Amino acid sequence: MSDTFRTRVLEITTGRSERVYDLTDHCEAFLREAAGGRDGLLNVFVPHATAGVAVLETGAGSDDDLLAALRDLLPADDRWRHRHGSRGHGRDHVLPALVPPYATLPVIGGRLELGTWQSVCLVDTNVDNPDRQVRLSFLG
C-alpha cells in the first residue's frame, strides 16, 4: 500500500505552432517536493483530445524528427472527417492514438529514473489551442 499520493496541474503554453515541449524539469521539481526521497511512480497525463506525452531525446533533432514523422503520418489536409478549427485539425484528434496522452515512469529515491538522453515531453500539433494542462501525479 502506498503512503503518498500527490498531484499537481501545470499550465503550459505551447504557442501557435506544432511543438514538442520538454516537461522534464517540471517533473523533477514536482518530485523534489512530492516524493520526499521515496520510490514510486510518476504519472504524466494530458487531459486533452489533441495532445500526447512522449519520452524521447530532445535538442539533437529527435523532437523535430517526431514532428516531421507526425506530419507524414497525419497530414494537415482535408481528408479528416472531424472538421472544425484550422485546416486538417481532424488529424490532431488522431494524434493521441499514436502518442498517448499519458506516461508512467519509475521514481527511485525520489528521482525520475530516465535514461541518459531521455526527456518527458508534451507533444502538441494543435495550432488552435496554445493553452494546455499537464497533470503530474506521484504514487509512492
Side-chain angles (χ1 to χ4, degrees), residues 52-72:
V53 176
V55 177
L56 74 153
E57 179 181 7
T58 60
S62 297
D63 37 354
D64 292 329
D65 289 341
L66 173 60
L67 292 174
L70 291 171
R71 281 190 294 273
D72 288 345

Side-chain angles (χ1 to χ4, degrees):
M1 195 70 176
S2 78
D3 296 325
T4 301
F5 179 79
R6 302 269 310 265
T7 191
R8 173 178 297 154
V9 175
L10 306 174
E11 302 289 337
I12 305 291
T13 300
T14 56
R16 295 281 180 194
S17 61
E18 297 176 344
R19 180 130 183 237
V20 174
Y21 183 98
D22 192 338
L23 297 167
T24 309
D25 289 344
H26 294 286
C27 293
E28 290 172 345
F30 169 68
L31 288 172
R32 280 192 294 276
E33 297 173 21
R38 288 185 294 277
D39 294 352
L41 296 171
L42 174 68
N43 182 265
V44 182
F45 177 69
V46 182
H48 297 280
T50 60
V53 176
V55 177
L56 74 153
E57 179 181 7
T58 60
S62 297
D63 37 354
D64 292 329
D65 289 341
L66 173 60
L67 292 174
L70 291 171
R71 281 190 294 273
D72 288 345
L73 290 169
L74 305 171
D77 58 21
D78 292 328
R79 74 183 67 202
W80 308 101
R81 290 183 181 96
H82 187 103
R83 294 179 185 258
H84 71 83
S86 62
R87 182 173 188 260
H89 174 67
R91 77 180 186 125
D92 300 324
H93 288 274
V94 176
L95 173 78
L98 301 175
V99 181
Y102 60 87
T104 301
L105 305 162
V107 176
I108 307 297
R111 297 187 51 130
L112 195 54
E113 194 69 14
L114 292 173
T116 302
W117 303 111
Q118 289 180 316
S119 297
V120 182
C121 299
L122 168 65
V123 179
D124 188 359
T125 60
N126 183 355
V127 299
D128 294 334
N129 183 5
D131 300 314
R132 299 301 189 163
Q133 291 184 337
V134 177
R135 179 175 296 278
L136 306 177
S137 299
F138 173 74
L139 179 63

